[in-house]
Amino acid sequence: MQLSSEEIEILKIIEENHKLSVESIALMAMCSEETVRNTIEKLEYEKIIMSYPTLIDWSKVEGQEGVIAMIDVKVTPKRGVGFDEVAERISRFPEVSSLYLMSGAYDLSITVEGKTMNQIAAFVSEKLSTIENVVSTTTHFMLKKYKHDGVSFNSGNDDKDWRMVVSP
């Protein structure tokens, strides 16, 4: 879908901080509040705006730390559908938080979240590796998160102030 420069500017603003008020976005994009509301509604309807995530540092919440693993997967593509069918099946698992088709040594990159390493190991051995067309997997456990979606997890080292003033 072709977007106007005004629509692209609104997208950039809300990508940076989705909790800004419509009034603030209109001021920053130099357009009317009605334009902002209509643009956001249109882009949500068209699924260009997919969601409004909140980034939480679960490592700071006692009992909620969890385990994250990144899994490299080699797949034999199926005639007529390529990697899409296998990717669709993998994406249905609740443990899977992200899934990408990659170039290079492996085909799919999966991010999986669980409570323990054993839970992730069970996912890989009992669910992922048993899928037809999955040739091999390599699992990497995340040890520490330094930066995610442009937000630094190192206290005092943020380049941007992510805290926002919530409008009444």
Side-chain angles (χ1 to χ4, degrees):
M1 167 182 273
Q2 185 73 31
L3 298 180
S4 70
S5 59
E6 190 172 68
E7 291 170 327
I8 291 171
E9 183 63 23
I10 291 169
L11 278 176
K12 288 179 180 180
I13 291 168
I14 62 175
E15 181 179 42
E16 185 74 28
N17 183 347
H18 70 275
K19 291 191 79 172
L20 288 171
S21 68
V22 170
E23 179 183 18
S24 296
I25 296 168
L27 286 170
M28 294 169 76
M30 295 185 281
C31 62
S32 71
E33 291 178 32
E34 182 180 354
T35 298
V36 171
R37 276 190 207 88
N38 291 341
T39 298
I40 290 172
E41 185 177 305
K42 169 189 164 186
L43 298 176
E44 287 173 343
Y45 178 79
E46 294 292 333
K47 302 282 189 227
I48 291 172
I49 297 175
M50 301 293 294
S51 72
Y52 297 95
T54 300
L55 183 58
I56 299 169
D57 187 352
W58 288 108
S59 69
K60 294 181 179 178
V61 181
E62 192 173 324
Q64 298 295 316
E65 297 85 359
V67 177
I68 299 173
M70 300 174 107
I71 304 170
D72 303 336
V73 183
K74 288 185 183 179
V75 177
T76 302
K78 285 184 97 172
R79 184 182 309 271
V81 292
F83 298 99
D84 293 347
E85 189 175 288
V86 170
E88 174 62 32
R89 184 164 177 203
I90 292 169
S91 72
R92 288 191 210 124
F93 290 115
E95 299 91 341
V96 175
S97 60
S98 64
L99 172 60
Y100 302 98
L101 178 62
M102 305 296 290
S103 64
Y106 55 94
D107 303 306
L108 299 175
S109 177
I110 305 170
T111 303
V112 177
E113 297 181 22
K115 298 278 186 204
T116 65
M117 284 190 182
N118 285 339
Q119 188 180 40
I120 297 209
F123 168 78
V124 173
S125 64
E126 297 167 14
K127 295 179 180 178
L128 183 60
S129 63
T130 62
I131 294 174
E132 186 179 350
N133 296 65
V134 169
V135 175
S136 67
T137 65
T138 304
T139 304
H140 311 274
F141 286 98
M142 188 180 302
L143 302 177
K144 184 175 180 179
K145 191 181 294 188
Y146 292 102
K147 190 172 186 177
H148 183 84
D149 284 343
V151 177
S152 174
F153 280 64
N154 297 333
S155 59
N157 293 336
D158 289 341
D159 290 338
K160 48 187 164 179
D161 185 8
W162 56 268
R163 291 167 192 84
M164 49 208 124
V165 177
V166 179
S167 301

